[in-house]
Amino acid sequence: MLSPTEFLSLLLLLPTLASAQAGFVAFKEKTCSERLDIWADGQLIDGGKLIIDHALRERGDFNGGHNYDNITFPGAQATGDWEKDTGTQFVYWKVQQPDPTCQFILLRNTQRGWESLSQLPGDELLRVSDEGCYYTAVNPNIDLITSFCCGRDDCSIAEIEVQYPSPEDTPNDKAPSCTVKSYDATPTVEDGVQIAVTRPQTCEAPPACTHSITQSKMVGTAVSHFQSFSWTTEEGVDVKIDAGIEFIVESKFSAGINFNIAQSWMDETGTTLTETNITASSEGERQQVGTVAFYAFTPQYDCWKGEVSCGKDQAGNEVVIRDVNFCQPRISSTGDSAGLFRMVYISG
């Protein structure tokens, strides 16, 4: 929960954003002296500014931010002759000072149903808490999202480089067994939660810095549902499921309802509890000189959607949990988790 001080800051920020039109203003070089034109869906963006007028916490109404689709930067320079940078451009963003406890966030929209497995509306490209001129590497025809957060609780969603402990599934030997009632037999590909795989570091001088993954991160089986459920079973046991995502891992003792739901899907789809590593070559993506950044990975999942029956309630009615997603990590040809690596720039 937000403290009274944090809540006041959030309330104060809203009119500030509306009146001053805080935003990300595009520039051609690192001194933020020469502005860039921005085109979105064939329309010139006024002043080359992507306004910030919706917060992460507004996810239900505005998908957690302000969307700008099919953006191009005709005057931006190419980032270089690296093969991996083909078509990528330098874009620097001038950002004003956020209010205390607040951060401005620029994200890239993902195309695979982000709402299933992430509380963010997209993958982070830039997150700042101090005014300045900040670098990003972007591709033409990109879809971008502006957002902001205020207070520790809201901003913890965006601080993906901080490894918060996973919620523990409360052991409950009396949790009801579940069976899949109906589902779409063909899984869809979904983007998972963006995960930091290196610590933030400063790149102070040429040659351009690279990031090496020194500690393996795990991606595992997940279940998610969009509604909260609670009932009392015929045996008199109270059961509660909160809307959200539960990543089921073998390293955590799971005997509760979320694990039972996952098990019912594994039985139905012929899969098993999966854990796979995030790995990369020792030389990862390069970091731009004069920046603070960390390397991040967005895993891909195969997800089945449907509904699950978890016994009967105290009145004898069948308990059906709808809009359940059961997701297994996609595995690349090398046996690692499939997905996309991306550099995330921050203000330090």
Side-chain angles (χ1 to χ4, degrees):
M1 297 293 291
L2 291 177
S3 69
T5 301
E6 292 169 335
F7 184 68
L8 179 60
S9 295
L10 181 57
L11 290 178
L12 292 174
L13 179 64
L14 292 174
T16 300
L17 288 169
S19 59
Q21 283 198 311
F24 295 94
V25 184
F27 286 82
K28 194 172 184 178
E29 29 56 58
K30 63 182 178 182
T31 61
C32 280
S33 301
E34 186 178 350
R35 286 204 182 194
L36 277 174
D37 286 340
I38 306 176
W39 292 78
D41 271 345
Q43 300 293 318
L44 182 64
I45 298 294
D46 186 33
K49 175 191 284 188
L50 304 183
I51 62 171
I52 308 168
D53 57 357
H54 295 303
L56 290 177
R57 66 179 180 84
E58 295 182 272
R59 179 182 169 196
D61 296 325
F62 296 99
N63 286 341
H66 188 132
N67 287 64
Y68 291 89
D69 297 331
N70 194 25
I71 291 182
T72 57
F73 306 88
Q77 297 180 0
T79 58
D81 57 1
W82 287 36
E83 183 178 351
K84 68 174 62 177
D85 284 342
T86 301
T88 305
Q89 297 173 300
F90 286 113
V91 177
Y92 289 86
W93 302 94
K94 190 171 184 178
V95 185
Q96 69 186 63
Q97 180 66 45
D99 280 10
T101 82
C102 300
Q103 300 179 69
F104 294 144
I105 306 165
L106 183 66
L107 309 101
R108 176 176 181 167
N109 191 21
T110 62
Q111 300 299 317
R112 295 187 179 94
W114 61 266
E115 63 269 30
S116 294
L117 295 175
S118 177
Q119 294 176 286
L120 292 173
D123 279 349
E124 290 186 46
L125 295 176
L126 175 63
R127 191 184 71 241
V128 299
S129 54
D130 297 301
E131 65 178 325
C133 184
Y134 296 97
Y135 168 85
T136 59
V138 296
N139 294 90
N141 307 113
I142 194 173
D143 295 337
L144 295 177
I145 304 167
T146 64
S147 191
F148 72 93
C149 64
C150 292
R152 182 180 61 187
D153 288 348
D154 282 353
C155 288
S156 66
I157 298 170
E159 291 169 351
I160 59 174
E161 75 276 23
V162 180
Q163 300 302 315
Y164 294 97
S166 300
E168 291 293 328
D169 193 14
T170 303
N172 184 353
D173 293 334
K174 296 183 179 180
S177 298
C178 300
T179 57
V180 176
K181 190 174 178 69
S182 64
Y183 73 104
D184 295 332
T186 302
T188 59
V189 180
E190 307 279 0
D191 284 318
V193 175
Q194 192 179 21
I195 304 169
V197 293
T198 66
R199 293 180 179 178
Q201 70 180 37
T202 300
C203 182
E204 297 180 347
C209 302
T210 57
H211 284 240
S212 299
I213 299 176
T214 57
Q215 184 177 359
S216 177
K217 305 292 182 180
M218 300 296 295
V219 177
T221 301
V223 293
S224 67
H225 28 83
F226 299 118
Q227 299 180 43
S228 296
F229 296 86
S230 61
W231 72 95
T232 302
T233 68
E234 287 184 307
E235 295 77 20
V237 177
D238 291 331
V239 179
K240 186 175 189 298
I241 303 176
D242 289 324
I245 306 159
E246 176 74 4
F247 292 92
I248 309 296
V249 294
E250 291 179 321
S251 58
K252 181 179 66 176
F253 175 71
S254 298
I257 182 64
N258 279 306
F259 183 82
N260 287 358
I261 291 174
Q263 186 62 60
S264 71
W265 280 98
M266 287 186 280
D267 293 342
E268 185 69 26
T269 58
T271 61
T272 59
L273 195 65
T274 301
E275 288 183 295
T276 182
N277 289 322
I278 302 171
T279 60
S281 63
S282 59
E283 291 296 312
E285 182 70 37
R286 65 174 180 170
Q287 178 183 347
Q288 185 69 11
V289 175
T291 62
V292 181
F294 60 88
Y295 206 30
F297 179 75
T298 303
Q300 294 176 354
Y301 283 81
D302 287 322
C303 295
W304 292 263
K305 302 177 187 295
E307 55 187 29
V308 176
S309 174
C310 293
K312 296 182 179 180
D313 62 18
Q314 205 165 27
N317 300 312
E318 182 184 19
V319 177
V320 179
I321 302 172
R322 297 179 174 83
D323 296 324
V324 176
N325 295 296
F326 169 73
C327 302
Q328 292 282 27
R330 303 199 91 199
I331 308 300
S332 68
S333 58
T334 62
D336 300 317
S337 177
L340 180 65
F341 288 96
R342 177 171 290 122
M343 195 69 71
V344 179
Y345 291 90
I346 60 176
S347 56

